[in-house]
Amino acid sequence: MFKKEYPKTKFGSQNRGFTPSYFSEFNWLEYSIRKDSVFCFPCRIFGTAHQTENTFTVIGFKNWKKLWGSRDSKTKKSKLSLHASTINHINCMSRWLEYKNSLKQGSIIFKLSTANKEHIDKNRQYIKCLIDIVIFLGRQGLPFRGHRENEDALNKGNFKELCMLFSKHHIEFEKKYIFNSTNHTSWAIQNDLINICTSYVRDNIVSEVKKCGMFSISCDESRSHKEEQMSICIRYTNNLEVKERFLGFVDVSYRQNADALYSFIIDFLRFCNLSDIPIVGQSFDGANVMSGQKGGVQTKLKQIYPYAIYIHCMAHKLNLVIVDTCKYLKYLRKLFNGLEAIYVHFSYPSKNKKFNEIQNLLGLKKKSLVQLSETRWACRFKSCSSVIQNYGVLIQSLKEEIDAQKNKDVAEAIGIISTIKSVDFVIYLFILKEVLQIIHILSNHLQSKSATLAVSKKRLRKEPSQLKDFVCLSTTSASDDHTADIVETKKKYWKKKAYYNVLDTMINILKTRFSEESLQVASSVDNLLKLKFESSSFLIDHYKDLFGICNQSLMSEMSVLKNILGENSSLEEIKQHLILYDGKVFPNFCKMFQVAVTLPVSTAICERSFSTMRRIKTWLRTCMNQDRFSNLSIMNIEKDIPINNEDILNIFDKTERRIQLH
């Protein structure tokens, strides 16, 4: 809208001023109310300082007498008309018109920037598809490459075949993959993407460990074709939830002595940025190179991490107890052919065909001892709520339970064992129960045929008469006189010759395999989780200096927590209260709780990683590079850790590539 009245200025005898009619003829004209002057809009906005005249850009024109026309006989033009015909004004008008057109249709720069952005988005979507293919193949443990990957090959490998599948359904992917000479699907790009994905997973694990402030380490070795691979795993807590993670394989084929294995472990921890975090426990197998107290790996590791308690794999120990018992059954079969069924039943189920009659009598199933026992391969850590740390109490209870059966009748012992529901060692008592059932059925069956024991025709050697009144502490050549009581039943005979021997063997093996020190650690952990301060002093005294724990404060915290939860509080209840208070109300006990659940109990996670090793590094993939093999193993084992393809793409973008991604 125009201003209705403009101020007047007296020129001679007339009052002159600006009139709105000028706007209709000169569309570039603008009027300043404050200065009461007119300006040229395009020259003021789009003109340069040395090209435009200051009258219509800075000062303003207000000589209204000469504005409309001039009485000059030569030009007869107004001041506005003269300005409109100048070259500078015409150039500024052109720039103004181009600017207005650009607002409607877009400028060339804008169009170029938009096209560039679309090009970048297409490139990013294409690389994201390649990343998703890498993540899929890595987590499924599938091979990437084929034997031949040229155009004539029928099978170019899973990676390129999946790229062909994507190109059938995505036009933009097809343009990038098929029609571009550089499609970023080479083995080098695959290795880069695999390495980035693995580093992303490992960095997540390391960040959780650093937040926890402690971890325990487990290592084990296995043969992979012509290589010796060592699996390195760690155990820690994340929000008081126990986490067991696989970090990678290390090729130790060059040397497997204690010094070399120790160096491999230390170098790998440095590579993972975990060398500065305290290790509270270490778990290896029973090999002397790992468990040796003078020159073993566990001893050398304690020189750097003095608080790392060594714990021999509990599941391995329990398995060895059953294996040793199985070996003893080989001796028992010499007593009577019927006991052959015990040995064959537990050790060689495939050979049971020659014992069909005994099998029908006993109703035995074809199950080997290894299948019945909870081996390292079958042992999986339960959740933290199942108190897996109380192995010391369980083993002690197992020894006491087996020892208690010696004073009971066989049938009564079978009934007692059948009522035991402890899932942690019921499998071992189940084996004992089966042995007792076989002895019980055999003795009753043979007793029905003969009321007395058949006497051997060979004359038995007796004790010398000179030793009649003495207690003999050493063995002699005398044989057992089982003919003294000729009416002794078969049932008593087998109880004496087989039943008691099996019980004594299992008790002795348990005492041999489980040292007092290992049971003391496990018992102390169990008592700590039961909020018993005095009974858990071994564990507290060992770690109090590492984490700056005050014994008096810890005892008070455990006492208060015990009053809140009661005597028989579960582990899950304790954990919920610690999470609820965020470790601020019970800081000392929260730290000791983390130590207790972080201590390793088994190397089962290392054994399970060997299963992945054999799936990934098959006979057809033996030439795989060690880094690629270890990285693919991490992606396959730790598949529960999410991988964001956008984050992987941003990391990939930081490297120099022949594709524009930003």
Side-chain angles (χ1 to χ4, degrees):
M1 296 180 65
F2 301 122
K3 184 178 176 63
K4 293 182 179 181
E5 294 183 0
Y6 292 89
K8 302 294 184 178
T9 303
K10 191 171 184 179
F11 290 88
S13 60
Q14 294 181 348
N15 291 327
R16 298 179 182 271
F18 180 76
T19 57
S21 60
Y22 296 134
F23 288 121
S24 59
E25 184 176 357
F26 305 101
N27 60 348
W28 46 265
L29 192 65
E30 60 179 354
Y31 174 81
S32 173
I33 298 176
R34 184 172 64 85
K35 291 187 175 184
D36 187 26
S37 302
V38 293
F39 295 86
C40 177
F41 175 77
C43 291
R44 187 172 60 85
I45 301 300
F46 298 98
T48 58
H50 65 280
Q51 291 180 344
T52 58
E53 53 181 321
N54 294 336
T55 304
F56 285 93
T57 57
V58 179
I59 302 174
F61 184 81
K62 57 184 302 184
N63 189 353
W64 311 123
K65 180 179 179 181
K66 296 182 179 180
L67 184 63
W68 183 250
S70 174
R71 299 196 178 273
D72 191 338
S73 59
K74 296 181 181 179
T75 60
K76 301 279 186 179
K77 291 183 179 180
S78 66
K79 190 67 174 178
L80 297 179
S81 299
L82 290 174
H83 175 75
S85 61
T86 61
I87 296 177
N88 291 334
H89 175 80
I90 294 173
N91 292 335
C92 293
M93 285 292 295
S94 299
R95 298 190 188 105
W96 186 29
L97 292 175
E98 289 177 1
Y99 171 75
K100 290 193 292 185
N101 291 332
S102 66
L103 296 179
K104 298 179 180 179
Q105 301 178 0
S107 64
I108 297 177
I109 298 176
F110 178 77
K111 291 179 179 179
L112 290 175
S113 62
T114 303
N116 184 57
K117 183 179 179 181
E118 292 177 356
H119 177 69
I120 292 175
D121 290 340
K122 291 178 181 179
N123 290 342
R124 293 180 68 89
Q125 291 300 322
Y126 174 72
I127 299 298
K128 278 185 180 180
C129 291
L130 298 182
I131 294 173
D132 289 337
I133 293 175
V134 168
I135 295 174
F136 170 76
L137 294 176
R139 286 185 165 174
Q140 294 301 114
L142 299 175
F144 281 62
R145 304 186 65 193
H147 181 60
R148 290 185 179 88
E149 297 182 349
N150 52 27
E151 295 297 331
D152 299 331
L154 296 177
N155 185 358
K156 300 178 183 178
N158 291 329
F159 186 83
K160 292 200 171 182
E161 290 295 334
L162 282 175
C163 290
M164 290 297 297
L165 180 62
F166 270 62
S167 63
K168 291 180 180 179
H169 300 280
H170 297 279
I171 298 177
E172 295 298 332
F173 188 90
E174 181 184 14
K175 293 179 181 178
K176 295 286 184 182
Y177 176 69
I178 297 179
F179 300 108
N180 275 9
S181 58
T182 305
N183 55 18
H184 294 82
T185 59
S186 65
W187 60 268
I189 299 296
Q190 293 177 27
N191 286 343
D192 288 344
L193 293 177
I194 292 172
N195 184 48
I196 293 173
C197 292
T198 303
S199 300
Y200 184 83
V201 173
R202 189 185 285 120
D203 290 343
N204 283 342
I205 296 174
V206 172
S207 63
E208 291 180 352
V209 174
K210 290 183 178 180
K211 182 180 178 181
C212 175
M214 70 184 79
F215 70 98
S216 62
I217 186 171
S218 299
C219 300
D220 204 353
E221 301 170 45
S222 182
R223 195 75 176 171
S224 175
H225 305 295
K226 295 183 180 181
E227 299 174 347
E228 191 75 16
Q229 297 287 346
M230 180 170 64
S231 172
I232 299 180
C233 306
I234 60 173
R235 178 184 173 99
Y236 61 95
T237 60
N238 183 24
N239 295 328
L240 300 184
E241 289 289 341
V242 177
K243 299 289 184 181
E244 285 187 330
R245 298 297 188 185
F246 169 77
L247 291 182
F249 285 113
V250 178
D251 187 3
V252 295
S253 304
Y254 176 70
R255 190 174 296 169
Q256 291 102 39
N257 57 30
D259 291 330
L261 296 179
Y262 163 76
S263 299
F264 284 130
I265 294 174
I266 295 299
D267 292 341
F268 189 81
L269 291 178
R270 290 198 187 102
F271 169 74
C272 296
N273 297 322
L274 291 173
S275 57
D276 297 334
I277 303 176
I279 299 178
V280 297
Q282 48 181 324
S283 178
F284 311 121
D285 56 20
N288 188 57
V289 68
M290 303 298 290
S291 61
Q293 295 184 356
K294 292 185 178 180
V297 174
Q298 63 101 357
T299 304
K300 295 180 179 298
L301 204 60
K302 281 185 177 180
Q303 296 175 0
I304 299 180
Y305 303 99
Y307 297 95
I309 294 178
Y310 168 68
I311 299 175
H312 186 189
C313 177
M314 294 290 185
H316 190 190
K317 286 184 179 181
L318 290 174
N319 177 250
L320 292 176
V321 170
I322 304 304
V323 172
D324 292 341
T325 306
C326 175
K327 293 178 181 178
Y328 178 73
L329 291 176
K330 184 186 295 186
Y331 163 75
L332 286 181
R333 72 178 189 171
K334 298 179 181 178
L335 297 177
F336 185 71
N337 289 337
L339 280 181
E340 183 84 16
I342 301 176
Y343 176 72
V344 175
H345 170 57
F346 286 123
S347 304
Y348 305 104
S350 60
K351 298 182 180 179
N352 278 1
K353 295 181 180 179
K354 58 186 295 187
F355 302 102
N356 289 332
E357 295 182 1
I358 300 178
Q359 276 186 325
N360 295 333
L361 171 67
L362 301 177
L364 296 177
K365 298 179 180 179
K366 291 185 178 181
K367 247 183 185 179
S368 69
L369 181 67
V370 178
Q371 289 173 316
L372 288 173
S373 63
E374 190 176 7
T375 63
R376 292 176 295 169
W377 293 93
C379 177
R380 288 182 177 272
F381 274 120
K382 311 169 186 66
S383 63
C384 187
S385 60
S386 61
V387 198
I388 58 177
Q389 277 72 27
N390 60 353
Y391 267 97
V393 177
L394 294 178
I395 296 302
Q396 189 65 32
S397 302
L398 178 59
K399 292 192 292 186
E400 294 175 357
E401 184 63 35
I402 294 175
D403 191 56
Q405 308 310 318
K406 296 173 66 174
N407 300 324
K408 297 182 176 65
D409 184 72
V410 179
E412 182 183 359
I414 294 173
I416 293 175
I417 294 174
S418 301
T419 62
I420 298 176
K421 301 299 182 182
S422 178
V423 295
D424 291 272
F425 63 94
V426 70
I427 188 68
Y428 306 101
L429 294 180
F430 171 74
I431 295 174
L432 176 62
K433 175 185 173 183
E434 290 229 342
V435 174
L436 298 181
Q437 285 178 331
I438 293 173
I439 296 173
H440 184 58
I441 296 173
L442 277 176
S443 60
N444 290 339
H445 175 68
L446 296 176
Q447 185 181 8
S448 63
K449 293 183 178 181
S450 173
T452 59
L453 178 65
V455 181
S456 175
K457 294 182 179 180
K458 183 178 179 181
R459 184 176 68 86
L460 299 177
R461 183 171 296 179
K462 298 181 180 180
E463 292 281 0
S465 58
Q466 294 88 345
L467 302 177
K468 182 178 180 180
D469 297 329
F470 294 91
V471 177
C472 186
L473 300 179
S474 62
T475 58
T476 64
S477 60
S479 303
D480 291 339
D481 188 8
H482 57 262
T483 62
D485 187 5
I486 199 68
V487 296
E488 184 180 14
T489 63
K490 293 287 184 181
K491 186 175 182 180
K492 292 182 179 180
Y493 177 79
W494 290 117
K495 184 174 182 181
K496 176 182 177 182
K497 292 294 183 182
Y499 175 48
Y500 288 158
N501 289 340
V502 171
L503 296 182
D504 291 337
T505 300
M506 296 187 73
I507 292 174
N508 291 332
I509 295 173
L510 284 172
K511 290 180 180 179
T512 303
R513 292 292 181 185
F514 292 90
S515 64
E516 292 298 328
E517 182 182 3
S518 61
L519 295 180
Q520 185 180 12
V521 174
S523 178
S524 180
V525 171
D526 181 64
N527 288 320
L528 179 74
L529 299 178
K530 292 179 179 178
L531 303 177
K532 297 179 180 180
F533 177 79
E534 297 295 336
S535 303
S536 56
S537 59
F538 175 83
L539 190 72
I540 297 172
D541 294 340
H542 185 78
Y543 290 106
K544 65 178 182 180
D545 294 334
L546 177 62
F547 299 107
I549 294 175
C550 176
N551 282 13
Q552 192 67 29
S553 300
L554 178 60
M555 183 175 63
S556 302
E557 292 174 10
M558 294 175 68
S559 177
V560 172
L561 196 58
K562 193 173 184 179
N563 293 333
I564 296 174
L565 301 176
E567 290 287 340
N568 300 321
S569 58
S570 64
L571 189 65
E572 194 65 30
E573 292 176 341
I574 296 175
K575 185 176 67 174
Q576 290 177 359
H577 273 73
L578 294 178
I579 295 175
L580 177 64
Y581 298 119
D582 195 22
K584 297 179 180 179
V585 179
F586 307 100
N588 294 280
F589 180 74
C590 184
K591 188 62 67 175
M592 287 305 304
F593 180 88
Q594 286 181 299
V595 172
V597 297
T598 302
L599 287 177
V601 179
S602 172
T603 57
I605 185 173
C606 297
E607 300 288 355
R608 293 195 295 275
S609 67
F610 295 144
S611 299
T612 301
M613 176 184 70
R614 290 173 175 84
R615 288 196 304 269
I616 292 178
K617 201 161 190 177
T618 61
W619 284 105
L620 296 176
R621 306 169 73 184
T622 53
C623 296
M624 186 188 306
N625 181 271
Q626 178 67 25
D627 291 337
R628 183 181 175 113
F629 161 62
S630 181
N631 292 338
L632 289 176
S633 300
I634 295 177
M635 292 180 64
N636 180 256
I637 295 173
E638 303 300 338
K639 60 181 64 177
D640 61 315
I641 299 178
I643 301 178
N644 191 337
N645 58 5
E646 186 72 27
D647 295 337
I648 303 300
L649 178 62
N650 293 332
I651 299 174
F652 182 77
D653 183 26
K654 294 179 181 178
T655 58
E656 295 183 1
R657 300 295 173 191
R658 295 176 60 184
I659 185 171
Q660 189 178 4
L661 298 174
H662 68 278

